[in-house]
Amino acid sequence: MTTVLAWTNVVALLGVGGLFLLFALIPFAMANDDPRCGPLVRYGFLQLTALGGIGASLLVGAWVASGAADHDGWTAVGVGAAGWGVWIGGLVLTMAGFFGVAALDMAVAERRRRRRTTTLD
């Protein structure tokens, strides 16, 4: 019975995470619409990196959750929950890193734009 619940947990995690990854494409595709964005965001490097980070955390979370099949009782429930925690933690770290580097990229691009306009004057 633990094996069935563990694999149900893994399938649910992959389903929910896969839908999240699919819907994350929309804001990542719109991220480079801001004219103030820097080259890392404008050319999609940060978006691809963030999508890779979300996908990697999803796969690692599913791998951790699949380990619940090796345990019984509440330990199996805890290991399954740890898989969800790994995915959500990886998601939070990935998004925090994305927005932090994107803000830094925007600040550097703005500084270069200002420097270019002052040297042209």
Side-chain angles (χ1 to χ4, degrees), residues 4 10 18-19 41 46 49 52-53 76-77 84-88 91-92 94 97-98 111 118:
V4 172
V10 170
L19 279 175
V41 174
L46 282 181
T49 305
V77 172
W84 285 87
V86 166
W87 172 57
I88 291 172
L91 182 66
V92 167
T94 299
F98 172 78
R111 184 174 175 156
T118 55

Side-chain angles (χ1 to χ4, degrees), residues 28-29 31-32 37-51 98 105:
F28 283 145
N32 59 354
C37 67
L40 293 177
V41 174
R42 183 177 302 123
Y43 299 119
F45 176 75
L46 282 181
Q47 290 91 324
L48 289 176
T49 305
L51 286 172
F98 172 78
D105 186 43

Side-chain angles (χ1 to χ4, degrees), residues 5 7-8 15 18 22 27 33-34 46 50 52-53 78 80 83 88 97-98 102 104 121:
L5 291 175
W7 287 110
T8 303
L22 180 68
D33 284 344
D34 189 359
L46 282 181
I88 291 172
F98 172 78
L104 182 62
D121 290 338

Side-chain angles (χ1 to χ4, degrees), residues 9-64:
N9 192 17
V10 170
V11 169
L13 179 61
L14 289 175
V16 170
L19 279 175
F20 184 86
L21 190 60
L22 180 68
F23 286 121
L25 290 172
I26 297 168
F28 283 145
M30 296 185 319
N32 59 354
D33 284 344
D34 189 359
R36 298 175 302 155
C37 67
L40 293 177
V41 174
R42 183 177 302 123
Y43 299 119
F45 176 75
L46 282 181
Q47 290 91 324
L48 289 176
T49 305
L51 286 172
I54 293 171
S57 69
L58 177 61
L59 291 176
V60 171
W63 177 71
V64 169

Side-chain angles (χ1 to χ4, degrees), residues 109-121:
E110 182 65 29
R111 184 174 175 156
R112 285 184 181 164
R113 235 178 268 120
R114 267 194 241 134
R115 187 181 309 152
R116 206 172 337 156
T117 57
T118 55
T119 57
L120 293 177
D121 290 338

